[in-house]
Amino acid sequence: MGVAKSWRYSGKVLILAKKDDCKYSKKHHCLVWAPPPEKVAAAGGGGLRRRISWSVVCGVMLFVLGLVSFFTGHIVASSSDLEWYSHAPAREHLSNGYLLIAASGGLNQQRTGITDAVVVARILNATLVIPELDHHSYWKDDSDFANIFDVDWFISNLAKDVPVVKRVPDKFMRSLEKPPYTMRVPRKSEPKYYLDEVLPYLEKRRVLQLTKFDYRLASDLDEELQRLRCRVNYHALRFTKPIQNLGQKIVMEMRKMASSFIAIHLRFEPDMLAFSGCYYGGGDKERNELGEIRKRWATLPETSPDGERKRGKCPLTPHEVGLMLRALGFENNTYLYVASGEIYGGEETLKPLRELFPNFYTKEMLASRELEPFLPYSSRLAAIDYIVCDESDVFVTNNNGNMAKILAGRRRYMGHKRTIRPNAKKLNALFYRREKMPWVTFAKKVKAAQQGFLGEPDEMKNGRGEFHEYPSTCICKKPFKYSDLDSNYNGNQTFTKYSFNPEAETEYGRNEEDQGVHNAQRIEDASMIRDHESSPKESKACV
């Protein structure tokens, strides 16, 4: 008679079949209908005297099927369930309910939450409602998802993976006996946790809200779920047209002045310094100001500023970033784009960096009039900086925060462009002794300290580090030889060129508008930057 699946995927499937067909597996329940023996005997083996209506038989079978589905629906999911949820297509009519997500933090922290929310919706076989953004963080930005990201693009781009809606239908909400159930999951929870602990609430209440949703999903997932992360983060999350247009305008202004430029993300805002527990030489004034801000986080432990700095937990100052870049070989005619919020100490703090690199520009300097509508919204300003930093030839950070990780991962995925992040633990020891050694010695030690932190394609092994920073599952490697290297470089060298995952490229296409122009750079003798431009179309997919 065929096979019928229970409406719940519990690892047990009801089979309606002939008796002999049930011998193939002990894992399945079989419902077998056959005439009683006495009826067969009376018929002399030639059949029944009275025919039983097939409509009656089908009705009985459907009734039993419903009972079995009801009593087996809450069996704990097995490993085969995890595989099914990873590979199942998005089918809204089979959805277990609506998933509401409240992302927390600033723009890039929210971005990780949104990305993981889609993956969790896939695991739970849920319909995702456009996530809510945090309006109560330090920046007090009341922007909604639609103010920052292209909602329609997000929904349509993920149609093959997860059903996404703008809101729970009013008719459905009115039919609920209770309001949506709200819960918070532990950080870095495994998919099995969501199936065991979250899915039962979703199935029971039909609408579930997960709050404070940032880094609530494990970094290490199976391959299909990791690739879904990449499709969300690098393709589905596209900024709105006004943000894209202004970001590209600033990039063009930088390109008019120089063929290549460096973007520096300076996380040196008061909240960042207060949270880090570090000290930067500002005396009692600094201690009191940052101490007051630090009180906002009641659970932060007491720390030693000197101890945190020795452990490499303190962001570099703007001056220290400048010293690092000069030691790596960037000359004072290099063009800098500086992305930042409110710098603690203002222009006085930025002055040493400006002196080291006079070609110093910000979004406020390059598009002051066009920027005015965005000024009240820190997340939209951060999105503009995100675009310019992504388009830069070299991206430099003074910390290892959310934007640093997210952009480093994106630049690896989009064809590989160099990202320099500080090895703060080793550099801080050098900055302490800076005045006690000649510049040549200092520069040599900085180059040695930065080995492995210069954005080389293979500096991180697969499976190590945060997936958002090292999306290795989505990236394929192909040897790529540059034959037109700088004349100062002795001999040819084979470099590793990163390219798109072929599945993502063929099935979902490239978002050319979102990629921009991507270059590949190399460091000669770990010091001098040499630009070797390559368009996105030159990225070779693995075969």
Side-chain angles (χ1 to χ4, degrees), residues 309 316 319-321 323-324 424 426-435 442 446:
R309 194 167 180 84
L316 269 59
H319 187 204
E320 290 168 344
V321 172
L323 290 175
M324 177 186 72
K426 290 185 177 181
L427 290 179
N428 284 325
L430 293 175
F431 293 139
Y432 271 127
R433 307 197 308 271
R434 164 69 191 93
E435 302 300 329
F442 174 76
V446 167

Side-chain angles (χ1 to χ4, degrees), residues 4 158 342 360 461 523 531:
L158 294 173
E342 174 195 358
F360 178 109
K461 295 180 180 178
I523 289 185
D531 298 325

Side-chain angles (χ1 to χ4, degrees), residues 14 17 56 134 150 163 178 257 322 345 367 381 432 474 521:
L14 181 64
V56 174
D134 190 350
D150 186 332
K178 297 180 180 180
M257 295 182 287
L381 294 174
Y432 271 127
C474 307
Q521 292 83 29

